[in-house]
Amino acid sequence: MSRPDELDRLVERSRRIGADPALVLHGGGNTSTKLVELDHTGRERRVLRIKGSGSDLATCTRRDFPGLWLDDLLPLRDRDAMSDEEMVAYLARCLVEPDAPRPSIETLLHAFLPAAHVDHVHADAICALANAPDPAAAVADALGGEVAVVPYLRPGFALSKLVAEHAGARAVVLAHHGLVTWGESHEESYELTRELVDRAAAYVGLRPVRVELGGAAGLVGLRGRVSRSRRQVLAVDVAQRALAGRDDAVEIASMRSTPDHMLRIGAETNGDGPVFLVEGVGCVAAGPDPRTARTRLELAAHSHAAVAATRDRFGGASWLSGQEVRDFLEWPLERYKLTLLPPPPELQGYVAIVTGAASGIGRELAADLAARGANVVGADLAGADVEGDLSDERVVDELVHATVDRYGGLDAVVFCAGTAATGTLAEVGDAQWRRSLEVNLTSHFLLTKRVWPVLAEQRIGGSLVYVASKNAFAPGAGFGPYSVAKAGLVQLARVAALEGGPIGVRANAVNPDAVFRGSKLWSDEVRRERAAAHGVPVEELEAFYVDRSLLRREVTAGDVAEAVAFLVSDRSRATTGCVVTVDGGVPGAFPR
Ligand code: ZN
């Protein structure tokens, strides 16, 4: 057996197991193969290839299987005890490639079993048996006496030795934990897992678990509750509505089907989170991003379904003691998996609406907030998540509803939608004047009013950022419809700051000037008119604005995005009622 082939086949077998949610969920389970490799001297030596800690069977590759010299591991069988720290240090010295990922916590369990191939899963159906009031009796009845059952022990040296004592059995069920199978071929090990899981599922009457995503509108209070120390978004599984309404929902919520789930979704449902059973709704999961929330929702669906199946089949269930739960959750070896995650981006978990998001500055602001981790809902006439004229209150209602329905709440609004309307007071059309006030001012009031109850109900504050203009303080002749609306917008921000303070809502304005690149504001017509107003040729207009500024530099949408991100984030938690200029320095437009 040549090494590349066997390792490839291990990857293939692992992916096959990982692809079936009835066997393994996100990151759970592990697999191994014992094979022969050449060491640095060219000698043939036995090697254990086992899944690394924290990698996922469904997506694993060859690199996810560190190798350990098997003949260095086997003498450990003669020891009576070994601490976790000793074990981790010892395993690190047995690695074939020293820079390989850390091997699974269950490495010695795989090593001590003599079979060439070993698989370990936390399959729902097996866990449904393993959490019966009497796990040994349940397993014997469902899977036959040749499948051994060992009592719950936290993974480590002692459990590895205990399982090895049952190498003569067909397989081993670990009480309150999962299944260990093995075989002399990849197929044999896989097929045994398959057979035992299918038999267990038939025995307890467990059907395939499916998540059905629903809307999170109506859960604003819950979203606020889970977001106090760190913003989170919600995901909802309406397929668990019946389960949430069961008489024994409290009992189901009080345990997990396997300890692995405790690490990812907490030791119980309806506590501090991140998962909740809500009567009439189903299951709700919170997470720092939608993907994590959905993963937790899936783990909760499987955990709840397995516990419910145990209770239905056996009339009750057994689980770890409170001390065992604490031991597991505080266990450094399990927590190690979490340290492999990159640090979160600044606005992770934030939900932000950006209006005018389809083009120009608004598009840049939306992209910038998203790059900082925020969940952005863009609104614009076309080309955005919510499309329509924001001076129409029905469109504004839809925007707020769509946002809350998708994420469960809202943290920030960036009011960027606007149009440039020019004309002297003597000549501007009445309708054009009204339209400018509608689009540049009233639409922002409509949205402010409609996000208010959401922010109030969440009770975690919020940030409103109004993108006004240098013209709010330094208006231009012939630019009245725009300048007057923008002055009103700054005043709207200040009133919002006054009224928002008591509920922690901050409101600030940003006053940019002369952002030419990527801006839709500067149509040919506006350029011509502003050039004429300043008495410069059209082609010199941009240079004119640069020269006019104190810093003599071009202002970009990226400069505006920096100011907006600061005001959205908690870095500006002590700032409200403020106007931040992003204009290169225009003395006539200094805030006052
Ligand atoms: Zn396990």
Side-chain angles (χ1 to χ4, degrees):
M1 76 172 79
S2 74
R3 179 205 142 182
D5 291 349
E6 275 301 274
L7 184 50
D8 285 338
R9 294 182 67 201
L10 170 60
V11 170
E12 185 196 346
R13 177 177 111 228
S14 305
R15 285 181 161 234
R16 204 170 157 201
I17 293 170
D20 185 347
L23 300 181
V24 157
L25 290 175
H26 309 283
N30 42 60
T31 53
S32 72
T33 287
K34 300 177 185 76
L35 37 74
V36 172
E37 297 184 17
L38 300 180
D39 72 7
H40 64 286
T41 69
R43 275 176 307 196
E44 287 196 337
R45 292 180 66 187
R46 293 196 294 166
V47 167
L48 174 74
R49 286 278 163 191
I50 181 157
K51 195 195 84 162
S53 184
S55 58
D56 192 332
L57 287 179
T59 55
C60 63
T61 63
R62 294 170 63 94
R63 280 193 309 276
D64 294 316
F65 291 87
L68 298 100
W69 302 116
L70 189 58
D71 293 316
D72 291 353
L73 299 178
L74 293 182
L76 292 177
R77 286 181 298 188
D78 298 331
R79 295 209 192 182
D80 293 326
M82 196 173 196
S83 71
D84 289 341
E85 295 73 24
E86 278 180 291
M87 185 178 79
V88 169
Y90 190 100
L91 294 181
R93 311 215 42 163
C94 301
L95 286 171
V96 175
E97 299 97 1
D99 57 346
R102 187 193 276 204
S104 164
I105 295 163
E106 279 146 340
T107 294
L108 291 181
L109 186 154
H110 288 251
F112 292 172
L113 284 167
H117 309 281
V118 178
D119 292 322
H120 168 52
V121 296
H122 310 139
D124 298 336
I126 296 294
C127 292
L129 295 177
N131 294 327
D134 182 346
V139 169
D141 199 36
L143 306 179
E146 324 85 83
V147 176
V149 179
V150 300
Y152 175 78
L153 275 180
R154 202 174 69 180
F157 184 76
L159 179 64
S160 306
K161 279 195 69 160
L162 183 59
V163 170
E165 287 172 19
H166 297 277
R170 261 193 105 196
V172 174
V173 168
L174 314 174
H176 314 307
H177 178 168
L179 174 69
V180 183
T181 57
W182 53 82
E184 286 314 313
S185 69
H186 295 277
E187 291 72 24
E188 195 186 329
S189 190
Y190 174 83
E191 292 301 339
L192 184 57
T193 300
R194 188 78 267 170
E195 177 205 319
L196 296 177
V197 171
D198 290 347
R199 278 171 63 184
Y203 185 87
V204 297
L206 189 70
R207 286 191 302 254
V209 175
R210 275 189 200 87
V211 168
E212 192 186 327
L213 292 176
L219 296 165
V220 168
L222 179 60
R223 196 261 169 175
R225 207 174 103 204
V226 298
S227 295
R228 284 200 192 121
S229 56
R230 175 180 174 202
R231 299 292 200 280
Q232 304 203 72
V233 296
L234 303 183
V236 177
D237 176 16
V238 295
Q240 291 189 63
R241 192 174 292 154
L243 193 138
R246 281 173 59 135
D247 290 339
D248 61 350
V250 172
E251 285 81 8
I252 292 173
S254 71
M255 61 180 277
R256 296 292 176 226
S257 63
T258 178
D260 191 39
H261 290 181
M262 296 200 295
L263 194 71
R264 293 153 203 274
I265 58 172
E268 58 182 20
T269 299
N270 294 349
D272 296 334
V275 299
F276 305 86
L277 282 170
V278 181
E279 212 178 332
V281 175
C283 186
V284 182
D289 54 70
R291 199 171 141 225
T292 305
R294 278 180 214 143
T295 299
R296 288 173 173 172
L297 206 53
E298 199 180 344
L299 289 162
H302 283 262
S303 218
H304 291 154
V307 173
T310 301
R311 296 184 57 83
D312 289 344
R313 184 67 174 77
F314 303 102
S318 64
W319 184 234
L320 311 188
S321 67
Q323 187 56 48
E324 285 167 332
V325 167
R326 282 189 292 279
D327 274 358
F328 186 87
L329 290 175
E330 288 158 14
W331 187 25
L333 291 199
E334 271 294 350
R335 300 217 73 85
Y336 170 77
K337 290 181 190 171
L338 303 181
T339 67
L340 300 175
L341 303 171
E346 180 185 19
L347 296 179
Q348 187 183 62
Y350 279 67
V351 179
I353 289 175
V354 177
T355 69
S359 68
I361 297 179
R363 184 164 62 190
E364 293 245 8
L365 299 183
D368 180 76
L369 292 176
R372 293 172 195 261
N375 302 283
V376 176
V377 177
D380 213 316
L381 289 171
D385 300 304
V386 173
E387 298 177 348
D389 183 342
L390 291 167
S391 63
D392 177 344
E393 51 266 42
R394 286 166 304 183
V395 175
V396 182
D397 284 336
E398 191 203 325
L399 172 59
V400 176
H401 177 79
T403 305
V404 173
D405 202 50
R406 191 180 300 178
Y407 298 113
L410 175 68
D411 301 294
V413 184
V414 180
F415 302 82
C416 192
T419 56
T422 58
T424 62
L425 299 178
E427 290 167 358
V428 65
D430 297 345
Q432 202 190 346
W433 174 272
R434 288 201 176 96
R435 184 72 193 138
S436 179
L437 289 181
E438 280 282 307
V439 174
N440 291 314
L441 181 56
T442 302
S443 72
H444 304 312
F445 153 71
L446 294 175
L447 182 54
T448 302
K449 177 177 171 175
R450 282 159 179 77
V451 298
W452 209 267
V454 176
L455 298 175
E457 192 184 343
Q458 279 185 151
R459 305 172 63 147
I460 50 170
S463 175
L464 307 175
V465 182
Y466 299 85
V467 180
S469 166
K470 156 256 163 198
N471 281 42
F473 296 142
F479 216 1
Y482 181 80
S483 302
V484 169
K486 289 296 190 182
L489 189 56
V490 168
Q491 200 71 319
L492 176 62
R494 287 167 166 171
V495 175
L498 291 170
E499 297 178 1
I503 56 168
V505 171
R506 300 181 295 107
N508 296 285
V510 174
N511 280 3
D513 185 38
V515 180
F516 284 91
R517 270 191 296 165
S519 171
K520 257 195 0 188
L521 205 69
W522 295 93
S523 64
D524 289 345
E525 188 196 347
V526 171
R527 276 170 183 266
R528 256 197 320 276
E529 292 191 20
R530 296 325 297 153
H534 294 299
V536 297
V538 173
E539 58 277 12
E540 288 173 23
L541 189 63
E542 294 173 38
F544 167 80
Y545 280 112
V546 169
D547 285 345
R548 185 178 74 170
S549 71
L550 294 173
L551 299 173
R552 293 184 186 282
R553 58 174 303 144
E554 183 192 352
V555 180
T556 66
D559 296 324
V560 183
E562 279 294 333
V564 168
F566 169 71
L567 292 173
V568 165
S569 78
D570 280 353
R571 280 184 288 147
S572 61
R573 63 185 175 271
T575 300
T576 191
C578 168
V579 178
V580 177
T581 62
V582 188
D583 57 9
V586 180
F590 284 176
R592 58 191 176 271

